[in-house]
Coordinates of all heavy atoms in Angstrom, one line a residue:
M30 N 104.3 33.1 61.9 CA 104.3 33.8 60.6 C 102.9 34.0 60.2 O 102.0 33.2 60.3 CB 105.0 32.9 59.5 CG 104.9 33.5 58.2 SD 106.3 32.9 57.2 CE 105.6 31.7 56.2
T31 N 102.7 35.3 59.8 CA 101.3 35.7 59.5 C 101.2 35.8 58.0 O 102.1 36.4 57.4 CB 101.0 37.0 60.1 OG1 101.2 36.9 61.5 CG2 99.5 37.4 59.9
T32 N 100.2 35.3 57.4 CA 100.0 35.5 55.9 C 98.8 36.3 55.7 O 97.8 36.1 56.5 CB 99.9 34.1 55.2 OG1 98.8 33.4 55.8 CG2 101.2 33.3 55.3
H33 N 98.8 37.1 54.7 CA 97.7 37.9 54.4 C 97.1 37.4 53.1 O 97.8 37.2 52.1 CB 98.1 39.4 54.3 CG 98.5 39.9 55.5 ND1 97.7 40.4 56.5 CD2 99.8 40.1 56.0 CE1 98.4 40.9 57.5 NE2 99.6 40.7 57.3
C34 N 95.8 37.2 53.0 CA 95.2 36.7 51.8 C 94.2 37.8 51.4 O 93.6 38.5 52.2 CB 94.3 35.5 52.1 SG 95.1 34.0 51.6
M35 N 94.1 38.0 50.1 CA 93.2 38.9 49.6 C 92.1 38.1 48.9 O 92.3 37.2 48.1 CB 93.9 39.8 48.5 CG 93.6 41.2 48.6 SD 94.4 42.2 47.4 CE 95.6 41.3 46.6
Q36 N 90.9 38.3 49.4 CA 89.8 37.6 48.8 C 89.2 38.5 47.6 O 89.1 39.7 47.8 CB 88.7 37.4 49.8 CG 89.1 36.4 50.9 CD 88.0 36.1 51.8 OE1 87.1 36.9 52.0 NE2 88.0 34.9 52.5
T37 N 89.0 37.8 46.6 CA 88.4 38.5 45.4 C 87.1 37.9 45.0 O 86.9 36.7 45.1 CB 89.4 38.5 44.2 OG1 89.7 37.2 43.9 CG2 90.7 39.2 44.6
R38 N 86.3 38.7 44.4 CA 85.1 38.1 43.9 C 85.3 38.0 42.4 O 86.2 38.7 41.8 CB 83.9 39.0 44.2 CG 84.0 40.4 43.7 CD 82.8 41.3 44.2 NE 82.8 42.6 43.6 CZ 83.7 43.5 43.9 NH1 84.6 43.4 44.9 NH2 83.6 44.7 43.3
P39 N 84.5 37.2 41.7 CA 84.7 37.1 40.2 C 84.6 38.4 39.5 O 83.7 39.2 39.8 CB 83.5 36.2 39.8 CG 83.1 35.5 41.1 CD 83.4 36.4 42.2
G40 N 85.6 38.7 38.7 CA 85.6 40.0 37.9 C 86.4 41.1 38.7 O 86.6 42.1 38.1
A41 N 86.7 40.9 39.9 CA 87.4 41.9 40.7 C 88.9 41.8 40.4 O 89.4 40.6 40.3 CB 87.1 41.9 42.1
R42 N 89.6 42.9 40.5 CA 91.1 42.8 40.3 C 91.7 42.4 41.7 O 91.6 43.2 42.6 CB 91.7 44.1 39.8 CG 91.3 44.4 38.4 CD 91.8 45.7 37.9 NE 93.1 46.1 38.5 CZ 93.6 47.3 38.3 NH1 93.0 48.1 37.5 NH2 94.7 47.6 38.8
G43 N 92.3 41.3 41.8 CA 92.8 40.9 43.1 C 94.3 41.0 43.2 O 95.0 40.1 43.8
D44 N 94.9 41.9 42.5 CA 96.4 42.0 42.5 C 96.9 43.1 43.4 O 96.1 43.8 44.0 CB 96.9 42.2 41.1 CG 96.3 43.4 40.4 OD1 95.4 44.0 40.9 OD2 96.8 43.7 39.3
L45 N 98.1 43.2 43.6 CA 98.7 44.2 44.4 C 98.3 45.7 44.0 O 98.1 46.5 44.8 CB 100.2 44.1 44.5 CG 101.0 45.0 45.5 CD1 100.5 44.7 46.9 CD2 102.5 44.7 45.4
V46 N 98.2 45.9 42.7 CA 97.9 47.2 42.2 C 96.5 47.6 42.7 O 96.3 48.7 43.2 CB 98.0 47.3 40.7 CG1 97.4 48.6 40.2 CG2 99.4 47.1 40.2
A47 N 95.6 46.7 42.7 CA 94.2 47.0 43.1 C 94.2 47.2 44.6 O 93.5 48.0 45.2 CB 93.2 45.9 42.7
A48 N 95.0 46.4 45.4 CA 95.0 46.4 46.8 C 95.6 47.7 47.3 O 95.1 48.3 48.3 CB 95.8 45.3 47.4
T49 N 96.6 48.3 46.6 CA 97.2 49.5 47.1 C 96.6 50.7 46.5 O 96.9 51.8 47.0 CB 98.7 49.5 46.7 OG1 98.8 49.4 45.3 CG2 99.4 48.3 47.4
G50 N 95.8 50.6 45.5 CA 95.2 51.8 44.9 C 96.1 52.5 43.9 O 95.7 53.5 43.4
L51 N 97.2 51.9 43.6 CA 98.1 52.5 42.6 C 97.6 52.2 41.2 O 97.0 51.1 41.0 CB 99.5 51.9 42.8 CG 100.2 52.2 44.1 CD1 101.5 51.5 44.2 CD2 100.4 53.7 44.3
S52 N 97.8 53.0 40.3 CA 97.4 52.8 38.9 C 98.6 52.3 38.1 O 99.7 52.6 38.4 CB 96.8 54.0 38.3 OG 97.8 55.0 38.2
R53 N 98.3 51.6 37.1 CA 99.3 51.1 36.2 C 99.6 52.2 35.2 O 98.8 52.9 34.7 CB 98.9 49.8 35.5 CG 98.8 48.6 36.4 CD 98.4 47.4 35.6 NE 98.4 46.3 36.6 CZ 97.7 45.2 36.4 NH1 97.0 45.0 35.3 NH2 97.8 44.2 37.3
P54 N 100.9 52.3 34.8 CA 101.2 53.3 33.8 C 100.6 52.9 32.4 O 100.5 51.7 32.1 CB 102.8 53.3 33.7 CG 103.1 51.9 34.2 CD 102.1 51.5 35.2
A55 N 100.3 53.8 31.6 CA 99.8 53.6 30.3 C 101.0 53.2 29.4 O 101.6 54.1 28.8 CB 99.0 54.8 29.8
T56 N 101.3 52.0 29.3 CA 102.5 51.5 28.6 C 102.5 51.8 27.2 O 103.5 52.1 26.5 CB 102.8 50.0 28.9 OG1 101.7 49.3 28.4 CG2 103.1 49.8 30.3
G57 N 101.3 51.8 26.6 CA 101.2 52.0 25.1 C 101.6 53.4 24.8 O 102.4 53.7 23.9
S58 N 101.1 54.4 25.6 CA 101.4 55.8 25.2 C 102.9 56.1 25.6 O 103.5 56.9 24.9 CB 100.5 56.8 26.0 OG 100.7 56.6 27.4
S59 N 103.4 55.6 26.6 CA 104.8 55.9 27.0 C 105.8 55.2 26.0 O 106.8 55.8 25.6 CB 105.1 55.4 28.4 OG 105.0 54.0 28.5
L60 N 105.4 54.1 25.5 CA 106.2 53.4 24.5 C 106.1 54.2 23.2 O 107.2 54.3 22.5 CB 105.8 52.0 24.2 CG 106.3 51.0 25.3 CD1 105.8 49.6 25.0 CD2 107.8 51.0 25.4
N61 N 105.0 54.7 22.8 CA 104.8 55.4 21.6 C 105.7 56.7 21.7 O 106.3 57.1 20.7 CB 103.4 55.8 21.3 CG 102.5 54.6 20.9 OD1 103.1 53.6 20.5 ND2 101.2 54.7 21.1
G62 N 105.7 57.3 22.8 CA 106.5 58.5 23.0 C 108.0 58.2 22.9 O 108.8 59.0 22.3
F63 N 108.4 57.1 23.5 CA 109.8 56.7 23.4 C 110.2 56.4 22.0 O 111.2 56.9 21.5 CB 110.0 55.4 24.3 CG 111.3 54.8 24.1 CD1 112.5 55.3 24.6 CD2 111.5 53.7 23.3 CE1 113.7 54.8 24.4 CE2 112.7 53.1 23.1 CZ 113.8 53.6 23.6
Y64 N 109.3 55.7 21.2 CA 109.7 55.3 19.9 C 109.7 56.6 19.0 O 110.6 56.7 18.1 CB 108.7 54.3 19.3 CG 108.8 52.9 19.9 CD1 107.7 52.2 20.3 CD2 110.1 52.4 20.0 CE1 107.9 50.9 20.8 CE2 110.2 51.1 20.6 CZ 109.1 50.4 21.0 OH 109.3 49.2 21.5
A65 N 108.8 57.5 19.2 CA 108.8 58.8 18.5 C 110.1 59.6 18.7 O 110.7 60.1 17.8 CB 107.6 59.6 18.8
A66 N 110.5 59.6 20.0 CA 111.7 60.4 20.3 C 112.9 59.7 19.8 O 113.8 60.3 19.3 CB 111.8 60.5 21.9
A67 N 112.9 58.3 19.8 CA 114.1 57.6 19.3 C 114.1 57.8 17.7 O 115.2 57.9 17.2 CB 113.9 56.1 19.6
A68 N 113.0 57.8 17.1 CA 113.0 58.0 15.6 C 113.5 59.3 15.3 O 114.2 59.5 14.3 CB 111.6 57.7 15.1
A69 N 113.0 60.4 16.0 CA 113.5 61.7 15.7 C 115.0 61.9 16.0 O 115.7 62.5 15.2 CB 112.7 62.7 16.6
G70 N 115.5 61.3 17.0 CA 116.9 61.3 17.3 C 117.7 60.6 16.2 O 118.8 61.1 15.8
T71 N 117.2 59.5 15.7 CA 117.9 58.8 14.6 C 117.9 59.6 13.4 O 118.9 59.6 12.7 CB 117.1 57.4 14.4 OG1 117.2 56.7 15.6 CG2 117.8 56.6 13.3
R72 N 116.8 60.2 13.0 CA 116.7 61.1 11.8 C 117.7 62.2 11.9 O 118.4 62.5 11.0 CB 115.3 61.7 11.6 CG 114.3 60.7 11.0 CD 113.0 61.4 10.6 NE 112.3 61.9 11.7 CZ 111.5 61.3 12.5 NH1 111.2 60.0 12.2 NH2 110.9 61.9 13.5
R73 N 117.8 62.8 13.1 CA 118.8 63.9 13.3 C 120.2 63.4 13.1 O 121.1 64.1 12.5 CB 118.6 64.6 14.6 CG 117.4 65.5 14.7 CD 117.5 66.4 16.0 NE 117.5 65.6 17.2 CZ 116.4 65.1 17.9 NH1 115.2 65.4 17.4 NH2 116.6 64.4 19.0
L74 N 120.5 62.3 13.7 CA 121.8 61.7 13.6 C 122.2 61.4 12.2 O 123.3 61.7 11.7 CB 121.9 60.4 14.5 CG 123.3 59.7 14.4 CD1 124.4 60.5 14.9 CD2 123.2 58.4 15.2
L75 N 121.3 60.7 11.4 CA 121.5 60.4 10.0 C 121.7 61.7 9.2 O 122.5 61.7 8.3 CB 120.4 59.6 9.5 CG 120.3 58.1 10.0 CD1 119.1 57.4 9.5 CD2 121.6 57.4 9.7
A76 N 120.9 62.7 9.5 CA 121.1 64.0 8.7 C 122.5 64.6 9.0 O 123.1 65.1 8.0 CB 120.0 65.0 9.1
K77 N 123.0 64.5 10.2 CA 124.3 65.0 10.5 C 125.4 64.2 9.8 O 126.4 64.7 9.3 CB 124.5 65.0 12.0 CG 123.8 66.1 12.7 CD 124.1 66.0 14.2 CE 123.3 67.1 14.9 NZ 123.6 67.2 16.4
I78 N 125.2 62.9 9.8 CA 126.1 62.0 9.1 C 126.2 62.3 7.6 O 127.2 62.4 7.0 CB 125.8 60.5 9.3 CG1 126.1 60.2 10.8 CG2 126.6 59.6 8.4 CD1 125.6 58.8 11.2
V79 N 125.0 62.4 7.0 CA 124.9 62.8 5.5 C 125.6 64.1 5.3 O 126.3 64.3 4.3 CB 123.4 62.7 5.1 CG1 123.3 63.3 3.7 CG2 122.9 61.3 5.1
R80 N 125.3 65.1 6.1 CA 125.9 66.4 5.9 C 127.4 66.4 6.0 O 128.1 67.0 5.2 CB 125.3 67.4 6.9 CG 125.8 68.8 6.7 CD 125.2 69.8 7.8 NE 125.8 71.0 7.8 CZ 125.5 72.1 7.1 NH1 124.5 72.0 6.2 NH2 126.2 73.2 7.2
A81 N 127.9 65.6 7.0 CA 129.4 65.5 7.2 C 130.0 64.8 6.0 O 131.1 65.3 5.5 CB 129.7 64.8 8.5
R82 N 129.4 63.8 5.5 CA 129.9 63.1 4.3 C 129.9 64.0 3.0 O 130.8 64.0 2.2 CB 129.2 61.8 4.0 CG 129.4 60.8 5.1 CD 128.7 59.5 4.8 NE 129.4 58.9 3.7 CZ 129.2 57.7 3.2 NH1 128.1 57.0 3.7 NH2 129.8 57.2 2.2
T83 N 128.8 64.8 2.9 CA 128.7 65.7 1.8 C 129.7 66.8 1.9 O 130.4 67.1 0.9 CB 127.2 66.3 1.7 OG1 126.3 65.3 1.7 CG2 127.1 67.2 0.6
R84 N 129.9 67.3 3.1 CA 130.9 68.3 3.3 C 132.3 67.8 2.9 O 133.1 68.5 2.2 CB 130.9 68.8 4.7 CG 131.8 70.0 5.0 CD 131.7 70.4 6.5 NE 132.5 71.6 6.7 CZ 133.8 71.7 6.9 NH1 134.5 70.5 6.8 NH2 134.4 72.8 7.0
R85 N 132.6 66.6 3.4 CA 133.9 66.0 3.2 C 134.2 65.8 1.7 O 135.2 66.1 1.2 CB 134.0 64.7 3.9 CG 135.5 64.2 4.0 CD 135.6 62.9 4.9 NE 134.8 63.0 6.1 CZ 133.9 62.1 6.4 NH1 133.6 61.1 5.6 NH2 133.2 62.2 7.5
A86 N 133.1 65.3 1.0 CA 133.2 65.1 -0.5 C 133.5 66.4 -1.2 O 134.3 66.5 -2.1 CB 132.0 64.4 -1.0
A87 N 132.7 67.4 -0.8 CA 132.9 68.7 -1.5 C 134.2 69.3 -1.3 O 134.9 69.8 -2.2 CB 131.8 69.7 -1.1
L88 N 134.7 69.2 0.0 CA 136.0 69.7 0.3 C 137.1 68.9 -0.5 O 138.1 69.5 -1.0 CB 136.3 69.7 1.8 CG 135.8 70.8 2.6 CD1 136.0 70.5 4.1 CD2 136.4 72.1 2.2
G89 N 136.9 67.6 -0.6 CA 137.9 66.8 -1.4 C 137.9 67.2 -2.8 O 139.0 67.3 -3.4
E90 N 136.7 67.5 -3.4 CA 136.7 67.9 -4.8 C 137.4 69.2 -5.0 O 138.2 69.4 -5.9 CB 135.2 67.9 -5.3 CG 134.6 66.6 -5.5 CD 135.1 65.8 -6.6 OE1 135.4 66.4 -7.7 OE2 135.2 64.6 -6.5
L91 N 137.0 70.2 -4.2 CA 137.6 71.5 -4.3 C 139.1 71.5 -4.0 O 139.9 72.2 -4.7 CB 136.9 72.5 -3.5 CG 135.5 72.9 -3.9 CD1 134.8 73.8 -2.9 CD2 135.6 73.6 -5.3
S92 N 139.5 70.7 -3.0 CA 140.9 70.6 -2.7 C 141.8 70.0 -3.8 O 143.0 70.2 -3.9 CB 141.1 69.8 -1.4 OG 140.5 70.5 -0.3
S93 N 141.1 69.2 -4.6 CA 141.9 68.5 -5.7 C 142.2 69.5 -6.8 O 143.0 69.1 -7.7 CB 141.1 67.3 -6.2 OG 140.0 67.7 -6.9
L94 N 141.5 70.6 -6.9 CA 141.8 71.6 -7.9 C 143.1 72.3 -7.6 O 143.5 72.5 -6.5 CB 140.7 72.6 -8.0 CG 139.3 72.1 -8.3 CD1 138.3 73.3 -8.2 CD2 139.2 71.5 -9.7
S95 N 143.8 72.7 -8.7 CA 145.0 73.4 -8.6 C 144.7 74.9 -8.1 O 143.6 75.3 -8.2 CB 145.8 73.4 -9.9 OG 145.1 74.2 -10.9
D96 N 145.8 75.6 -7.7 CA 145.6 77.0 -7.3 C 145.1 77.8 -8.4 O 144.3 78.7 -8.3 CB 146.9 77.5 -6.7 CG 147.2 76.9 -5.3 OD1 146.3 76.5 -4.6 OD2 148.4 76.9 -4.9
R97 N 145.6 77.5 -9.6 CA 145.2 78.2 -10.8 C 143.7 78.0 -11.1 O 143.0 78.9 -11.4 CB 146.0 77.8 -12.0 CG 145.7 78.4 -13.3 CD 146.0 79.8 -13.4 NE 145.5 80.4 -14.6 CZ 145.5 81.7 -14.9 NH1 146.0 82.5 -14.0 NH2 145.1 82.1 -16.0
Q98 N 143.2 76.8 -11.0 CA 141.8 76.5 -11.2 C 140.9 77.1 -10.2 O 139.9 77.7 -10.5 CB 141.6 75.0 -11.2 CG 142.2 74.2 -12.4 CD 142.1 72.7 -12.2 OE1 142.4 72.2 -11.1 NE2 141.8 72.0 -13.3
L99 N 141.4 77.1 -8.9 CA 140.6 77.8 -7.9 C 140.6 79.3 -8.2 O 139.5 80.0 -8.0 CB 141.3 77.6 -6.5 CG 141.1 76.2 -5.9 CD1 141.9 76.0 -4.7 CD2 139.6 75.9 -5.7
M100 N 141.7 79.9 -8.6 CA 141.7 81.3 -8.9 C 140.8 81.6 -10.1 O 140.1 82.7 -10.1 CB 143.1 81.8 -9.3 CG 143.3 83.3 -9.4 SD 145.0 83.8 -9.6 CE 145.7 82.8 -10.8
D101 N 140.6 80.7 -11.0 CA 139.7 80.9 -12.2 C 138.3 81.0 -11.7 O 137.5 81.7 -12.3 CB 139.9 79.8 -13.2 CG 141.2 79.9 -14.0 OD1 141.8 81.0 -14.0 OD2 141.5 78.9 -14.7
I102 N 137.9 80.3 -10.7 CA 136.5 80.4 -10.2 C 136.4 81.3 -9.0 O 135.3 81.4 -8.4 CB 136.0 78.9 -9.8 CG1 136.8 78.3 -8.7 CG2 135.9 78.0 -11.0 CD1 136.2 77.0 -8.1
G103 N 137.4 82.1 -8.8 CA 137.4 83.2 -7.8 C 137.5 82.7 -6.3 O 137.0 83.4 -5.4
L104 N 138.2 81.6 -6.1 CA 138.4 81.1 -4.7 C 139.9 81.0 -4.4 O 140.7 80.8 -5.3 CB 137.8 79.7 -4.6 CG 136.3 79.6 -4.7 CD1 135.9 78.2 -4.5 CD2 135.7 80.4 -3.6
Q105 N 140.2 81.2 -3.1 CA 141.5 80.9 -2.6 C 141.4 79.6 -1.8 O 140.3 79.3 -1.2 CB 142.0 82.0 -1.8 CG 142.3 83.3 -2.6 CD 142.7 84.4 -1.7 OE1 142.8 84.3 -0.5 NE2 143.0 85.6 -2.3
R106 N 142.5 78.9 -1.6 CA 142.4 77.6 -0.9 C 142.0 77.8 0.6 O 141.3 77.0 1.1 CB 143.8 77.0 -0.9 CG 143.8 75.5 -0.6 CD 145.0 74.8 -1.0 NE 145.2 74.8 -2.5 CZ 144.6 73.9 -3.3 NH1 143.8 73.1 -2.8 NH2 144.9 73.9 -4.6
A107 N 142.3 78.9 1.1 CA 141.9 79.2 2.5 C 140.4 79.4 2.7 O 139.9 79.3 3.8 CB 142.7 80.4 3.0
Q108 N 139.7 79.7 1.6 CA 138.3 79.9 1.7 C 137.4 78.7 1.5 O 136.2 78.7 1.7 CB 137.9 80.9 0.6 CG 138.5 82.3 0.6 CD 138.1 83.1 -0.6 OE1 138.4 82.6 -1.7 NE2 137.5 84.2 -0.4
L109 N 138.0 77.6 1.2 CA 137.3 76.4 0.8 C 136.3 75.9 1.9 O 135.1 75.6 1.6 CB 138.2 75.2 0.4 CG 139.1 75.5 -0.8 CD1 139.9 74.2 -1.1 CD2 138.2 75.9 -2.0
G110 N 136.7 75.8 3.1 CA 135.8 75.4 4.2 C 134.6 76.3 4.4 O 133.5 75.9 4.5
E111 N 134.9 77.6 4.3 CA 133.8 78.6 4.5 C 132.8 78.5 3.3 O 131.6 78.6 3.5 CB 134.4 80.0 4.5 CG 133.4 81.1 4.7 CD 134.1 82.5 4.7 OE1 135.3 82.6 5.1 OE2 133.4 83.5 4.4
V112 N 133.3 78.3 2.1 CA 132.5 78.3 0.9 C 131.6 77.0 1.0 O 130.4 77.1 0.7 CB 133.4 78.3 -0.4 CG1 132.5 77.9 -1.6 CG2 134.0 79.6 -0.6
V113 N 132.2 75.9 1.3 CA 131.4 74.6 1.4 C 130.3 74.8 2.5 O 129.2 74.4 2.3 CB 132.3 73.4 1.7 CG1 131.5 72.2 2.0 CG2 133.2 73.2 0.4
N114 N 130.7 75.3 3.6 CA 129.7 75.5 4.7 C 128.5 76.4 4.3 O 127.4 76.1 4.5 CB 130.3 76.1 6.0 CG 131.2 75.1 6.7 OD1 131.0 73.9 6.5 ND2 132.1 75.5 7.5
S115 N 128.8 77.5 3.6 CA 127.8 78.4 3.1 C 126.9 77.7 2.0 O 125.7 77.9 2.0 CB 128.3 79.7 2.6 OG 129.1 79.5 1.4
M116 N 127.5 76.9 1.2 CA 126.7 76.2 0.2 C 125.8 75.1 0.8 O 124.6 75.0 0.4 CB 127.7 75.5 -0.8 CG 128.4 76.4 -1.7 SD 129.7 75.7 -2.8 CE 128.8 74.3 -3.5
L117 N 126.3 74.4 1.8 CA 125.5 73.5 2.5 C 124.3 74.1 3.3 O 123.2 73.6 3.3 CB 126.3 72.6 3.5 CG 127.2 71.6 2.8 CD1 128.1 70.9 3.8 CD2 126.4 70.6 2.0
S118 N 124.6 75.3 3.9 CA 123.6 76.0 4.6 C 122.5 76.5 3.7 O 121.3 76.4 4.0 CB 124.2 77.2 5.4 OG 125.1 76.8 6.4
A119 N 122.9 77.0 2.5 CA 121.9 77.4 1.5 C 121.1 76.2 1.0 O 119.9 76.3 0.9 CB 122.6 78.1 0.3
A120 N 121.7 75.1 0.9 CA 121.0 73.9 0.4 C 120.0 73.4 1.5 O 118.9 73.0 1.3 CB 121.9 72.7 0.1
D121 N 120.4 73.6 2.8 CA 119.5 73.2 3.9 C 118.3 74.1 3.9 O 117.2 73.7 4.2 CB 120.3 73.3 5.3 CG 121.3 72.2 5.5 OD1 121.2 71.2 4.7 OD2 122.1 72.4 6.3
R122 N 118.5 75.4 3.7 CA 117.4 76.4 3.7 C 116.4 76.1 2.6 O 115.2 76.2 2.8 CB 117.9 77.8 3.6 CG 118.5 78.3 4.9 CD 118.8 79.8 4.9 NE 119.7 80.2 3.8 CZ 121.0 80.2 3.9 NH1 121.6 79.9 5.0 NH2 121.8 80.6 2.9
R123 N 117.0 75.7 1.4 CA 116.1 75.4 0.3 C 115.3 74.1 0.6 O 114.1 74.1 0.3 CB 116.9 75.2 -1.0 CG 117.4 76.5 -1.6 CD 117.9 76.2 -3.0 NE 119.1 75.3 -3.1 CZ 120.3 75.6 -2.9 NH1 120.7 76.9 -2.8 NH2 121.3 74.7 -2.9
S124 N 115.9 73.1 1.2 CA 115.1 71.9 1.5 C 114.1 72.1 2.6 O 113.1 71.5 2.6 CB 116.1 70.8 1.9 OG 116.7 71.0 3.1
D125 N 114.4 73.0 3.5 CA 113.5 73.4 4.6 C 112.3 74.1 4.0 O 111.1 73.8 4.4 CB 114.1 74.3 5.7 CG 115.1 73.5 6.6 OD1 115.0 72.3 6.5 OD2 115.9 74.2 7.3
R126 N 112.5 75.0 3.0 CA 111.4 75.7 2.4 C 110.5 74.7 1.6 O 109.3 74.8 1.5 CB 111.9 76.8 1.5 CG 112.1 78.1 2.3 CD 112.4 79.3 1.4 NE 113.8 79.6 1.7 CZ 114.7 79.8 0.7 NH1 114.4 79.7 -0.5 NH2 115.9 80.1 1.1
A127 N 111.2 73.8 0.9 CA 110.5 72.8 0.0 C 109.7 71.9 0.9 O 108.6 71.4 0.5 CB 111.5 72.0 -0.8
G128 N 110.1 71.5 2.1 CA 109.4 70.6 3.0 C 108.3 71.2 3.7 O 107.4 70.6 4.2
A129 N 108.3 72.5 3.9 CA 107.3 73.2 4.6 C 106.0 73.5 3.9 O 105.8 73.2 2.8 CB 107.8 74.6 5.1

């Protein structure tokens, strides 16, 4: 059995990375990128959840109105989904402009 020893002098890197000439990955920057991507994904997911809950609540409120009440505000029951979606889109555009 043959063993290979690496002799090192004080202050020299005597590990496999130094022996092979491979460099170590910059773990700090890759972790920062990972955390930034994870945070962005989490924000998008939470925004979608909030939007879905808001849509469901608005549809519930409008659906609870009678046909007569809907007619008074100029809506038909078949239009409720479309109206709520357009209201949410308009609110999204306003918040995008306010944030920019």
Side-chain angles (χ1 to χ4, degrees):
M30 175 153 104
T31 307
T32 58
H33 295 278
C34 260
M35 227 181 344
Q36 292 182 336
T37 60
R38 61 187 186 284
R42 289 179 33 190
D44 56 353
L45 184 60
V46 172
T49 59
L51 298 173
S52 63
R53 290 185 178 155
T56 56
S58 63
S59 63
L60 282 178
N61 288 341
F63 170 76
Y64 290 135
T71 302
R72 281 191 298 273
R73 283 191 303 271
L74 177 63
L75 288 175
K77 286 181 181 184
I78 291 170
V79 167
R80 183 181 168 89
R82 291 183 72 177
T83 303
R84 183 180 189 281
R85 194 175 319 122
L88 279 173
E90 289 290 323
L91 288 172
S92 295
S93 70
L94 297 176
S95 68
D96 289 336
R97 177 70 185 171
Q98 290 170 319
L99 288 172
M100 190 171 46
D101 286 345
I102 60 174
L104 293 177
Q105 295 177 355
R106 199 163 295 279
Q108 297 174 305
L109 296 183
E111 181 182 335
V112 168
V113 169
N114 287 339
S115 66
M116 289 172 53
L117 288 174
S118 294
D121 289 344
R122 286 191 300 273
R123 282 192 303 271
S124 68
D125 287 345
R126 275 189 249 130

